[in-house]
């Protein structure tokens, strides 16, 4: 059974940092692209970051580029999201997501799938709340 468990969320002041972690189990972690997706209050799903199975290729939404960094440890079956210079607009529930299949990914197709299929796309963790507020 695929399991994804996020941790590391919380309340932080603007300009602060948080590190989210996702522990994966039940599948061959090193074979799959992994994603961080967020949903802000009253808004749709946003693909924040994607990281290729080997960790060599990453993607970031324009809204977080230069502030967030994704990494993975295939030996430990974990994927992390380091979030720096946090802004109030980063407030959201952050989800760790596993791609439904092994293989290359087209970024435009991926964004479309997440925005339109939501949790029907791939496998999702339970989410962790990040609140950026003074």
């Amino acid at each position: 059974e695929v399991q994804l468990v996020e941790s590391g969320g919380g309340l932080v002041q603007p300009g602060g940092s948080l590190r989210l972690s996702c522990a994966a189990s039940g599948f061959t972690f090193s074979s799959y692209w992994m994603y961080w997706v967020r949903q802000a209050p009253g808004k749709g799903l946003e693909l924040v970051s994607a990281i290729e199975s080997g960790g060599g290729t990453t993607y970031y939404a324009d809204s977080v580029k230069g502030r967030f960094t994704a990494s993975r440890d295939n030996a430990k079956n974990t994927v992390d999201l380091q979030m720096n210079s946090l802004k109030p607009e980063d407030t959201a529930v952050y989800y760790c997501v596993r791609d439904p299949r092994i293989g290359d990914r087209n970024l435009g197709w991926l964004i479309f799938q997440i925005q339109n299929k939501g949790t029907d796309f791939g496998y999702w963790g339970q989410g962790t709340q990040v609140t950026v507020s003074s």
Side-chain angles (χ1 to χ4, degrees):
E1 178 188 3
V2 174
Q3 289 195 331
L4 301 167
V5 180
E6 302 98 335
S7 61
L11 173 64
V12 63
Q13 292 186 343
S17 298
L18 280 176
R19 188 177 184 90
L20 305 184
S21 187
C22 173
S25 62
F27 62 99
T28 304
F29 180 74
S30 60
S31 294
Y32 292 87
W33 282 73
M34 296 295 297
Y35 314 112
W36 287 98
V37 177
R38 70 184 180 186
Q39 187 164 33
K43 296 191 175 181
L45 294 168
E46 180 186 18
L47 176 64
V48 173
S49 176
I51 185 165
E52 173 261 338
S53 57
T57 300
T58 53
Y59 156 84
Y60 300 96
D62 287 343
S63 57
V64 307
K65 202 171 292 183
R67 300 186 297 121
F68 289 13
T69 303
S71 60
R72 65 190 294 163
D73 186 334
N74 285 346
K76 295 181 178 180
N77 290 359
T78 58
V79 56
D80 292 349
L81 185 68
Q82 177 66 42
M83 306 186 295
N84 298 329
S85 303
L86 283 161
K87 305 175 181 180
E89 52 264 43
D90 293 319
T91 295
V93 178
Y94 284 72
Y95 298 94
C96 174
V97 181
R98 196 208 85 175
D99 199 282
R101 66 171 180 83
I102 296 169
D104 291 336
R105 275 285 171 242
N106 175 275
L107 185 59
W109 178 89
L110 175 62
I111 292 172
F112 177 85
Q113 292 296 315
I114 287 174
Q115 290 179 342
N116 291 274
K117 287 192 172 181
T119 56
D120 287 337
F121 174 80
Y123 295 84
W124 293 60
Q126 83 286 354
T128 186
Q129 176 71 47
V130 171
T131 302
V132 185
S133 175
S134 55

